[in-house]
Amino acid sequence: MCLAVPAQITERSEYMATVTVSGVTRQVSLMLLPEAAVGDYVLIHAGFAIQAIDEAEARRTLELFKELEQYAVDS
């Protein structure tokens, strides 16, 4: 199963970006999404931004991830 995680772009340099996911920063490639800009929310998979999403979708998905964490801890 593959999973893409929503993140917000906080910095951009050429085809690389710094993104933030729940307070954690990562470097990702924008080669597949060159039009992405600082402030945009994108889906991240395997180190690449693969799709732009709106803020509401990103927040909803992150909330669902938090709910899932409860079940992972209880296992």
Side-chain angles (χ1 to χ4, degrees):
M1 174 173 73
C2 296
L3 180 66
V5 178
Q8 185 176 31
I9 298 174
T10 56
E11 296 178 34
R12 182 189 168 129
S13 177
E14 298 290 323
Y15 287 101
M16 293 300 293
T18 301
V19 297
T20 302
V21 179
S22 300
V24 177
T25 60
R26 296 274 188 253
Q27 293 293 309
V28 299
S29 173
L30 297 176
M31 292 294 290
L32 301 175
L33 204 61
E35 68 277 8
V38 171
D40 287 353
Y41 285 85
V42 293
L43 292 178
I44 305 301
H45 176 69
F48 289 85
I50 59 171
Q51 180 180 346
I53 59 172
D54 63 34
E55 183 176 357
E57 176 81 12
R59 291 188 187 281
R60 175 73 179 130
T61 302
L62 290 171
E63 287 299 318
L64 290 171
F65 285 166
K66 285 181 185 177
E67 287 180 32
L68 286 173
E69 285 177 19
Q70 297 173 26
Y71 299 106
V73 173
D74 292 340
S75 298

